[in-house]
């Protein structure tokens, strides 16, 4: 009996903790709820797509994927948080165009490529150009003429400096010789609310977050920004068709983890996201909102991100855009 009680307790407990850690490590990923970090306020297109994906991943894996909104600095606040998170797969970044434009707009405390393990591109989406019904224009040509006659009098909104909506409008102004006033918001949700209220009158935004307002005549659609018309709104012309050759801007969504995430976790998350994108219900849901499922390998998404960062660096420099 005395020998039993004289056994050193610390080595015994250390052995128990080692065994417990080994069991935990052996559990298939995910073994607990996963936080999906979105760099915008609730209600916008990023949030809509992220929540749809989170719901599907929760169904597939049996673990909750919980959307957490961290708005600020065109996703840089959320992105920095993820870059510093434990690389165990339980903090996931919902990647959007801000990830590609911020290196040219802001002084960042992280590297947009080196500090992340890119998992897969989720989807690609056209923007749609809409105006408040009070603006007396019904086509792109009418908008250009109206704006040229009133330089500096039209306010346009965006989901933040460097967002695709901001870059779309700046490119539009460069190509048309017009001058409008930028009103940035912390996400598409607030920007759309203010557009509905008439606080600004023009907006380039993702079809998924806007089409409902167009169909109820609360906004007027003038054009979409892809090379071809969107299948979800085939009656709306492209900006190219409307008389501005070469104007193409699309948004993208993707998934990334902190850089040192194990390859096994990257591959598992990749397979689950690609599986979700191939499911008839989720893919149909994306397409109904004007978003096309993509998928692909981690390597393909990494190359895509490198190319996007280089492309937008050139546009931002040419337009003289500064982060706000």
């Amino acid at each position: 009996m005395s020998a039993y009680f004289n056994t050193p307790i610390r080595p015994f407990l250390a052995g128990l903790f080692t065994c417990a850690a080994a069991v935990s490590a052996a559990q298939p990923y995910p073994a607990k709820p996963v936080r999906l970090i979105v760099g915008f306020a609730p209600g916008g297109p990023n949030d809509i797509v992220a929540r749809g994906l989170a719901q599907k991943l929760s169904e597939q894996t049996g673990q909750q994927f919980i959307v957490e909104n961290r708005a600020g600095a065109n996703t840089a606040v959320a992105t920095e948080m993820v870059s510093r998170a434990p690389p165990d797969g339980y903090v996931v970044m919902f990647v959007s165009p801000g990830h590609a434009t911020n290196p040219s707009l802001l002084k960042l405390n992280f590297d947009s490529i080196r500090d992340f393990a890119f998992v897969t591109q989720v989807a690609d989406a056209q923007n749609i150009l809409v105006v408040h019904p009070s603006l007396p224009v019904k086509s792109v040509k009418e908008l250009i003429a109206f704006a040229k006659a009133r330089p500096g009098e039209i306010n346009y909104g965006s989901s933040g400096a460097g967002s695709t909506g901001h870059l779309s409008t700046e490119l539009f102004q460069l190509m048309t010789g017009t001058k409008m006033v930028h009103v940035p918001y912390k996400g598409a949700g607030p920007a759309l609310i203010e557009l509905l209220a008439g606080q600004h009158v023009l907006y380039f935004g993702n079809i998924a977050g806007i089409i409902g307002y167009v169909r109820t005549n609360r906004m007027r659609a003038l054009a979409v920004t892809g090379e071809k018309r969107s299948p979800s709104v085939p009656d709306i012309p492209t900006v190219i068709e409307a008389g501005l050759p070469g104007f193409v801007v699309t948004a993208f969504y993707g998934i990334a983890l902190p850089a040192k995430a194990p390859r096994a976790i990257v591959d598992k998350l990749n397979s689950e996201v690609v599986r979700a994108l191939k499911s008839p219900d989720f893919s149909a849901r994306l397409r109904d909102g004007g978003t096309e499922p993509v998928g692909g390998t981690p390597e393909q998404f990494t190359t895509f991100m490198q190319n996007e960062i280089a492309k937008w660096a050139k546009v931002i420099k040419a337009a003289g855009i500064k982060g706000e």
Side-chain angles (χ1 to χ4, degrees):
M1 182 68 69
S2 61
Y4 175 79
F5 282 105
N6 287 332
T7 301
I9 191 67
R10 288 184 178 178
F12 174 70
L13 290 176
L16 283 179
F17 289 135
T18 300
C19 290
V23 171
S24 176
Q27 289 180 320
Y29 171 83
K32 63 181 182 180
V34 178
R35 297 161 65 196
L36 181 57
I37 311 301
V38 177
F40 291 104
N46 290 271
D47 186 64
I48 291 170
V49 176
R51 289 182 186 276
L53 178 62
Q55 179 182 345
K56 192 65 181 176
L57 292 176
S58 298
E59 294 171 1
Q60 290 177 182
T61 65
Q63 292 291 344
Q64 288 296 309
F65 278 70
I66 303 166
V67 171
E68 184 176 318
N69 298 90
R70 293 285 187 107
N74 193 32
T75 75
V77 170
T79 310
E80 181 173 357
M81 189 206 82
V82 175
S83 73
R84 300 175 184 274
D88 57 5
Y90 292 99
V91 178
V92 179
M93 185 72 207
F94 190 74
V95 182
S96 59
H99 198 100
T101 57
N102 282 340
S104 298
L105 293 168
L106 306 173
K107 183 178 180 181
L108 303 175
N109 296 318
F110 57 87
D111 188 280
S112 295
I113 294 295
R114 289 197 306 269
D115 289 340
F116 297 90
F118 295 100
V119 177
T120 188
Q121 186 176 351
V122 173
D124 187 57
Q126 294 193 41
N127 280 345
I128 184 170
L129 168 58
V130 293
V131 296
H132 188 270
S134 64
L135 196 67
V137 300
K138 295 184 179 181
S139 69
V140 171
K141 287 183 178 180
E142 289 182 8
L143 171 61
I144 294 171
F146 188 85
K148 282 186 173 181
R150 297 164 180 81
E153 295 182 19
I154 298 176
N155 291 343
Y156 77 90
S158 81
S159 59
S163 64
T164 57
H166 179 206
L167 293 176
S168 294
T169 318
E170 289 294 331
L171 181 60
F172 183 86
Q173 292 180 99
L174 285 172
M175 295 180 69
T176 59
T178 55
K179 183 61 178 177
M180 296 180 279
V181 179
H182 182 211
V183 184
Y185 295 89
K186 290 185 177 180
L192 291 174
I193 290 171
E194 293 295 279
L195 175 60
L196 290 168
Q199 296 301 308
H200 62 95
V201 295
L202 184 145
Y203 184 74
F204 278 92
N206 189 274
I207 295 173
I210 291 177
I211 192 59
Y213 299 115
V214 172
R215 289 171 176 161
T216 55
N217 298 317
R218 300 177 72 186
M219 298 178 187
R220 182 182 302 127
L222 301 185
V224 294
T225 63
E227 292 184 6
K228 299 179 180 179
R229 294 193 182 197
S230 169
S232 62
V233 285
D235 56 324
I236 299 176
T238 65
V239 176
I240 294 173
E241 287 181 274
L244 202 57
F247 187 95
V248 177
V249 180
T250 58
F252 66 85
Y253 307 115
I255 294 294
L257 294 168
K260 295 182 180 179
R263 181 64 194 225
I265 290 178
V266 173
D267 288 343
K268 173 61 176 176
L269 187 55
N270 175 277
S271 67
E272 290 295 343
V273 174
V274 171
R275 177 184 167 196
L277 294 173
K278 291 180 178 178
S279 65
D281 57 338
F282 185 55
S283 60
R285 182 175 175 179
L286 288 174
R287 290 190 173 101
D288 286 345
T291 305
E292 284 295 315
V294 178
T297 67
E299 289 75 19
Q300 287 172 328
F301 190 37
T302 301
T303 299
F304 173 85
M305 288 304 306
Q306 291 169 334
N307 292 339
E308 283 292 298
I309 289 172
K311 177 181 74 175
W312 286 115
K314 295 177 181 179
V315 173
I316 290 167
K317 183 177 180 180
I321 300 172
K322 304 295 182 181
E324 298 179 10

